[in-house]
Amino acid sequence: VVAAYRALEGTKNVLGLTNYSVLLQEYLAGDEYVVDTVSRDGVHKCVALWKYDKRVYNGAPVVYYGMQLLAIDSEPRLAEMVGYTASVLDALGIRHGCCHTEIMLVERGPVLVEVNCRIHGGEGTWAPMAEAALGYSAVTAMLDCYLDPAAFADLPVVPSDFSVHVME
């Protein structure tokens, strides 16, 4: 680790700035998922589960190809991941609004990559896909959360009954 730091210390980064510090992170071998949630008064609803499709391409180890919307029962450990995400939101004191949480599912279980109090990003292609598959998206769930509490209460806790299957 010391040799790796010394090899980087004093070099220029892509912005032309000198590197004086290095962030060390654990390498996580596994699949990466997104757990999109909307919360109201501490009740967390998983409004979408996405699995990233990342592969090696042209020498680059992680190239994003797309993502697939998953039903809670489509893989054996998804329910565990949703429970883990709810625990993370509780630990952070997040009780209201949208969260976009990225999780690596590794052999020992789910590991948090990041959580942000925001709606799913990208170009927004996920919203019409979720609407087509589930009849709702994080956008409509968030609107229900703030404007129609009864409609929010009627949303399922996890995505399950798909009318179509979608993938970006």
Side-chain angles (χ1 to χ4, degrees):
V1 172
V2 172
Y5 171 77
R6 288 194 177 128
L8 293 172
E9 181 185 27
T11 61
K12 299 287 184 190
N13 64 25
V14 296
L15 300 175
L17 303 173
T18 302
N19 292 313
Y20 292 109
S21 59
V22 176
L23 174 65
L24 179 66
Q25 291 182 286
E26 173 187 12
Y27 175 78
L28 299 170
D31 291 320
E32 187 173 1
Y33 297 81
V34 172
V35 181
D36 285 328
T37 55
V38 177
S39 304
R40 179 180 171 85
D41 296 324
V43 174
H44 309 298
K45 300 221 177 180
C46 174
V47 295
L49 284 165
W50 303 93
K51 184 175 186 177
Y52 283 141
D53 179 8
K54 294 181 178 181
R55 304 178 221 163
V56 176
Y57 179 75
N58 202 22
V62 182
V63 176
Y64 175 79
Y65 277 76
M67 60 185 175
Q68 181 179 10
L69 182 62
L70 301 175
I72 190 68
D73 59 356
S74 61
E75 292 185 13
R77 298 184 74 188
L78 294 180
E80 173 189 4
M81 196 167 31
V82 171
Y84 172 82
T85 301
S87 297
V88 167
L89 299 179
D90 288 341
L92 294 173
I94 297 170
R95 298 182 39 80
H96 306 281
C98 283
C99 277
H100 174 81
T101 306
E102 296 186 5
I103 305 281
M104 288 291 289
L105 189 53
V106 299
E107 189 175 311
R108 70 178 185 263
V111 178
L112 180 65
V113 173
E114 68 169 276
V115 62
N116 286 288
C117 296
R118 65 171 175 86
I119 207 151
H120 195 107
E123 295 82 32
T125 58
W126 53 269
M129 291 191 305
E131 290 280 346
L134 299 166
Y136 60 88
S137 69
V139 174
T140 60
M142 181 179 62
L143 289 171
D144 288 344
C145 171
Y146 290 115
L147 303 175
D148 190 349
F152 180 76
D154 288 342
L155 287 173
V157 176
V158 292
S160 57
D161 295 324
F162 284 31
S163 56
V164 296
H165 292 274
V166 295
M167 183 172 187
E168 178 187 60

